[in-house]
């Protein structure tokens, strides 16, 4: 768990937390170890099986549910203090408005959605010979198609395959949450990242990675609250 996430979410002691698109659940388990009653959700059978096995080995009571996010209301009927998602999850959502509605539906009054994401302008650039060049458009109609031969989890080669993703602007994310009935409390665009995404990025003493001169926002964080009834 990184400091950015902890800063945005705050103290989770005794609170219920729903982690959407949790992959194999390491961050979900970190929230449990920080005192939350945490539930992780992911589409992948293998990811959830691994998450459950790791939690059992660690003696954690973290709960994991295998579900498509858009089908989750058919499986899970609860309310939470916190709904959380992070890094690379939202680009795979084909309907951001519906995603926001589902996230909001799981909040108790006064509960909050906390998002820590790769800033949408970052993937628009490619570094060539040490120079960042604008390669893609944020406003290109999706779905966008990408041929890949490695996974983001460990960068090991895998069978080449096609992935589809959607580029959502900060404005579209904020508007989707507002339309879902939430109040935007905090929005931050940060010039550092938790990992090296371009060769020219350097790691500082604080552990974060930056581009020389901080020319671009690399991470966006957003906290939105369900108003008290």
């Amino acid at each position: 768990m990184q400091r950015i996430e902890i800063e945005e979410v705050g103290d989770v002691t005794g609170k219920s937390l729903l982690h959407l698109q949790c992959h194999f659940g390491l961050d979900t388990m970190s929230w449990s170890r920080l005192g939350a009653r945490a539930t992780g959700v992911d589409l992948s059978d293998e990811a959830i099986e691994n998450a459950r096995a790791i939690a059992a080995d660690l003696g954690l009571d973290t709960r994991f549910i295998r579900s498509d996010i858009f089908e989750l209301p058919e499986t899970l009927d609860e309310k939470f203090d916190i709904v959380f998602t992070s890094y690379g999850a939202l680009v795979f959502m084909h309907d951001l408005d519906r995603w926001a509605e589902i996230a909001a539906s799981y909040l108790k009054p006064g509960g909050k959605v906390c998002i820590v994401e790769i800033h949408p302008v970052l993937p628009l650039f490619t570094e060539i010979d040490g120079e960042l060049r604008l390669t893609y458009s944020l406003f290109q109609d999706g779905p966008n198609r990408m041929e890949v031969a490695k996974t983001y989890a460990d960068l090991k080669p895998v069978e080449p395959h096609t992935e589809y993703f959607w580029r959502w602007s900060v404005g579209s994310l904020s508007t989707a949450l507002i339309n879902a009935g939430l109040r935007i409390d905090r929005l931050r665009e940060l010039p550092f990242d938790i990992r090296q995404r371009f060769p020219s990025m350097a790691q500082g003493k604080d552990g974060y990675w930056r581009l020389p001169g901080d020319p671009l926002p690399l991470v966006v964080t957003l906290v939105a609250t369900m108003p008290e009834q």
Side-chain angles (χ1 to χ4, degrees):
M1 185 64 60
Q2 302 293 326
R3 292 194 305 276
I4 306 174
E5 292 95 294
I6 295 173
E7 288 172 5
E8 296 305 311
V9 176
D11 185 8
V12 298
T13 304
K15 295 182 179 179
S16 55
L17 182 147
L18 177 63
H19 184 181
L20 301 179
Q21 298 102 264
C22 71
H23 197 203
F24 46 82
L26 297 185
D27 282 352
T28 321
M29 287 178 256
S30 293
W31 290 122
S32 290
R33 298 181 77 168
L34 289 170
R37 301 188 306 277
T39 298
V41 180
D42 197 88
L43 177 64
S44 168
D45 290 303
E46 186 173 356
I48 291 300
E49 288 174 6
N50 286 330
R52 289 170 176 163
I54 295 169
D57 287 343
L58 295 174
L60 298 173
D61 61 358
T62 315
R63 177 176 56 166
F64 291 99
I65 299 171
R66 208 296 304 171
S67 178
D68 184 314
I69 293 301
F70 296 103
E71 297 173 0
L72 186 59
E74 302 172 14
T75 305
L76 182 65
D77 182 19
E78 295 179 30
K79 299 292 185 180
F80 295 81
D81 297 303
I82 301 161
V83 173
F84 172 79
T85 197
S86 68
Y87 304 112
L90 295 181
V91 293
F92 295 109
M93 301 296 103
H94 66 277
D95 187 339
L96 193 62
D97 290 324
R98 180 59 183 148
W99 180 90
E101 290 173 359
I102 291 171
S105 74
Y106 283 108
L107 288 178
K108 299 176 181 178
K112 59 185 179 181
V113 170
C114 300
I115 299 168
V116 181
E117 256 292 7
I118 300 167
H119 198 287
V121 305
L122 186 151
L124 306 182
F125 289 83
T126 304
E127 184 169 331
I128 302 173
D129 297 329
E131 179 183 343
L132 289 182
R133 299 184 185 178
L134 185 61
T135 310
Y136 304 102
S137 169
L138 180 61
F139 302 104
Q140 179 179 341
D141 290 336
N144 298 278
R145 175 174 173 161
M146 179 171 57
E147 304 301 323
V148 297
K150 60 185 178 181
T151 72
Y152 72 89
D154 57 18
L155 303 183
K156 291 181 180 179
V158 296
E159 189 70 23
H161 61 282
T162 302
E163 289 185 356
Y164 296 90
F165 62 96
W166 287 257
R167 293 190 177 101
W168 302 112
S169 68
V170 174
S172 62
L173 174 58
S174 302
T175 301
L177 293 169
I178 291 169
N179 289 342
L182 303 182
R183 181 188 69 236
I184 305 296
D185 291 322
R186 183 165 65 255
L187 174 64
R188 294 200 294 166
E189 297 174 290
L190 305 172
F192 52 82
D193 203 341
I194 62 169
R195 58 180 288 188
Q196 184 179 27
R197 301 189 193 275
F198 295 111
S200 63
M201 292 176 72
Q203 191 173 28
K205 293 182 180 179
D206 58 3
Y208 293 131
W209 293 83
R210 285 179 162 85
L211 286 164
D214 293 338
L216 297 173
L218 303 181
V219 166
V220 60
T221 73
L222 191 153
V223 177
T225 301
M226 175 65 72
E228 298 279 357
Q229 300 298 320

